[in-house]
Amino acid sequence: MSEQQHKSTSQFALLISNAVLGAFFFGFSVSYMNPAIKTADTQFGITGDKDLINGLINAFPALGAAAGAITSGKIQNQFGLRTSFLFADLIGVAGFLFQLPLYLATLLIGRLVIGYAVGMNSSLVPQYIKEFSPESLSGPFGAMFQMTINIGCLVALIMGMFFDADGESLDYFRFVVVFPMIICALRIFFLAFAFQDNPPSYYIYRNKFKTAKAVIRNYYKRRFADQIFDELKQQIEAKQSETSDSKNQDSASYRSRLIVGCTLQIIQQFSGINAVLIYSSGLFINITGGNNELKNWLNIAVGLVNLVFSMIAIPLLKNFGRRPLLLLGTSACTLFLGFISLFSFFLPSEEEYEVTTSAVMVIVFMFLYLAAFQLSLGPVVWIYDADVLDEKGMSIAVLCNWLGCAIVAQFFGFINNHGGMQTSFGLFFGFCLLGTIYIYFQVKETKGKNPKDIDQMFMLGKVDLDD
């Protein structure tokens, strides 16, 4: 067994824990309106076509996130990851401040602005983890991103238990809106006073070799520091050489990696995860026949299942490859989505208001779907894309993710209200089935491979079906 090159795993854990506060902000921002939508309808005077307006309320953060994702690469290249995080946190605070006045217009603007911060975090945090983490810890630390998103979702759903069923919770709504500003302030504080370094690659790109070596020595044993610096410098020089020769972003390998990275993000979104995270309150109210207390507890269960299985994913990511986890997990998601759609045909009408065996089976398979997602599509897509894409490619892939999320957020409520869960989850089943087939034939194993090996592997274009 080779000797550990880094000084302390806990040192990296603290560094990454501060970065993934952005993932907490991500999860909270996606989920807090789920249990608060009745309060928003009441307090913001939303009448008329609620499907349309509520769809916009849920879709605007995703549209903002798409903009944040596509511009984050340029901001990162210009200012570095640390300053980009500070910028994202300040934007996040501004977005929630916009939501404090009781106007639908300011609510929508605020949701758009926080979406921009979420989009930046969704692109920057995986890059930060990838560039700072030792190879041996990249899988577990990569899973921390998804796990912390789930913690943010769970906290939002727990806080959602205290909204009044009749929507009369104005003061509490304002408290929920203020809470994530504290998370932004915490990361700003720690970035300002504790974690002041960018990854070594940032300094090497700018020929600040002395600073890069100093950062490496902060985290790695001195006898390995020069070796790590040389390896990182060679990788960056190889990238720069490819770019200067116009081979990188025009090459078959790069195009192939970009297509796979973007397609995985689309598969992730059209598997239906955000339909559950954004609309679970409405789904559970219908499934349970209007039982508000049971709906709240089922929401908490959603958050707990997501969190527990994202924690279980950490050792799996360390011991198994990206490709088998994606393939098996997406196959399981497809199966469970099919059963949700099937049993939804037998749900009672809203007028009957009773919990039937079919309703119980829909809930059981929904939780099984969430578990399978957290072991596969949830964490692995982010880790895989960080493996195969550069900053620009990552921004494009995350743009695809958020555009997909915006489509789901805007139209799921309408499709579900008019066609039922059998239709909405039947569509997710079809998308996930196609995604499974795509992963089988197109996704290559990247675990344990350096950027040069990955580039050559995609250049050859062959998928090892035995991996």
Side-chain angles (χ1 to χ4, degrees):
M1 186 175 180
S2 59
E3 182 182 355
Q4 175 178 292
Q5 295 182 333
H6 55 278
K7 291 179 180 178
S8 169
T9 299
S10 60
Q11 185 182 23
F12 278 105
L14 289 172
L15 180 79
I16 301 304
S17 295
N18 183 61
V20 296
L21 288 175
F24 181 97
F25 179 87
F26 176 164
F28 189 93
S29 299
V30 168
S31 300
Y32 78 96
M33 192 57 76
N34 177 350
I37 197 66
K38 177 67 175 178
T39 298
D41 287 344
T42 302
Q43 299 299 329
F44 290 87
I46 298 172
T47 57
D49 192 345
K50 288 189 177 182
D51 284 343
L52 174 63
I53 297 175
N54 288 341
L56 290 173
I57 290 172
N58 289 317
F60 264 42
L63 292 174
I70 199 63
T71 57
S72 63
K74 289 185 177 180
I75 296 171
Q76 176 187 345
N77 289 335
Q78 182 71 28
F79 301 105
L81 281 162
R82 177 177 171 272
T83 302
S84 299
F85 281 160
L86 293 169
F87 185 51
D89 290 333
L90 291 172
I91 291 175
V93 170
F96 278 101
L97 285 173
F98 265 111
Q99 296 178 65
L100 291 176
L102 290 181
Y103 300 101
L104 179 59
T106 57
L107 173 66
L108 291 173
I109 292 170
R111 296 279 285 168
L112 193 68
V113 172
I114 64 167
Y116 188 90
V118 167
M120 288 189 67
N121 278 304
S122 66
S123 181
L124 297 174
V125 175
Q127 285 290 326
Y128 188 90
I129 294 171
K130 176 67 177 176
E131 293 197 21
F132 249 125
S133 300
E135 176 59 36
S136 61
L137 299 175
S138 63
F141 283 156
M144 280 182 65
F145 177 67
Q146 184 67 35
M147 183 181 73
T148 315
I149 291 174
N150 291 327
I151 293 174
C153 292
L154 177 60
V155 170
L157 293 172
I158 290 174
M159 294 176 75
M161 292 186 70
F162 302 99
F163 282 106
D164 291 338
D166 58 7
E168 298 295 334
S169 305
L170 174 58
D171 292 337
Y172 186 67
F173 176 81
R174 284 178 167 154
F175 167 74
V176 170
V177 166
V178 168
F179 175 75
M181 300 183 199
I182 300 171
I183 304 303
C184 294
L186 277 175
R187 193 168 69 164
I188 290 172
F189 176 83
F190 287 121
L191 286 169
F193 297 103
F195 305 110
Q196 299 179 342
D197 295 323
N198 278 297
S201 58
Y202 170 82
Y203 302 108
I204 294 175
Y205 272 116
R206 288 155 179 79
N207 295 320
K208 297 180 178 179
F209 301 139
K210 187 176 179 180
T211 306
K213 288 181 179 180
V215 173
I216 291 171
R217 291 192 188 105
N218 285 339
Y219 296 96
Y220 290 88
K221 296 173 183 175
R222 183 168 291 273
R223 62 181 174 276
F224 295 113
D226 288 339
Q227 174 191 337
I228 292 168
F229 172 81
D230 290 339
E231 290 174 352
L232 188 55
K233 187 169 180 286
Q234 288 171 8
Q235 291 174 12
I236 290 171
E237 286 174 347
K239 274 187 180 181
Q240 289 175 326
S241 176
E242 289 176 348
T243 302
S244 64
D245 292 338
S246 300
K247 291 180 180 178
N248 187 26
Q249 294 178 9
D250 294 326
S251 70
S253 170
Y254 187 85
R255 287 196 300 272
S256 178
R257 283 181 280 141
L258 184 61
I259 290 169
V260 170
C262 291
T263 303
L264 286 176
Q265 295 284 356
I266 292 168
I267 293 169
Q268 186 194 70
Q269 282 305 313
F270 285 95
S271 72
I273 184 62
N274 278 315
V276 178
L277 295 181
I278 295 172
Y279 287 98
S280 66
S281 291
L283 292 173
F284 290 142
I285 278 289
N286 292 335
I287 293 171
T288 62
N291 188 323
N292 189 67
E293 183 177 358
L294 182 55
K295 175 265 292 182
N296 285 334
W297 285 111
L298 287 172
N299 269 341
I300 301 303
V302 166
L304 287 173
V305 168
N306 284 335
L307 177 58
V308 168
F309 281 89
S310 65
M311 294 173 68
I312 293 172
I314 293 176
L316 293 180
L317 287 162
K318 188 174 183 179
N319 296 309
F320 295 94
R322 324 294 199 216
R323 174 181 156 81
L325 287 175
L326 278 172
L327 188 58
L328 293 174
T330 308
S331 299
C333 287
T334 303
L335 178 66
F336 299 141
L337 286 166
F339 278 119
I340 293 172
S341 178
L342 176 63
F343 282 102
S344 294
F345 278 101
F346 307 103
L347 289 176
S349 64
E350 293 184 11
E351 290 76 17
E352 294 181 18
Y353 288 126
E354 61 177 325
V355 179
T356 63
T357 301
S358 295
V360 172
M361 296 307 295
V362 166
I363 293 170
V364 168
F365 282 113
M366 189 176 293
F367 287 145
L368 289 172
Y369 158 74
L370 291 171
F373 182 91
Q374 296 302 334
L375 296 176
S376 56
L377 284 170
V380 182
V381 167
W382 296 106
I383 297 170
Y384 192 92
D385 277 12
D387 284 344
V388 303
L389 298 175
D390 60 7
E391 292 85 354
K392 181 178 179 181
M394 191 72 180
S395 295
I396 296 170
V398 178
L399 169 66
C400 293
N401 180 290
W402 285 112
L403 289 176
C405 179
I407 292 170
V408 171
Q410 180 63 54
F411 296 107
F412 175 80
F414 177 83
I415 294 171
N416 196 69
N417 289 339
H418 291 81
M421 290 180 66
Q422 62 270 29
T423 301
S424 56
F425 281 86
L427 289 172
F428 293 142
F429 164 78
F431 282 120
C432 217
L433 178 61
L434 292 173
T436 304
I437 296 169
Y438 180 85
I439 290 168
Y440 181 80
F441 287 107
Q442 296 297 325
V443 171
K444 303 166 176 59
E445 183 54 70
T446 61
K447 187 174 187 290
K449 295 181 171 66
N450 61 43
K452 185 176 180 180
D453 292 336
I454 291 171
D455 187 65
Q456 291 177 343
M457 180 174 60
F458 275 89
M459 193 175 295
L460 294 172
K462 182 180 179 181
V463 177
D464 188 347
L465 300 181
D466 294 327
D467 278 346

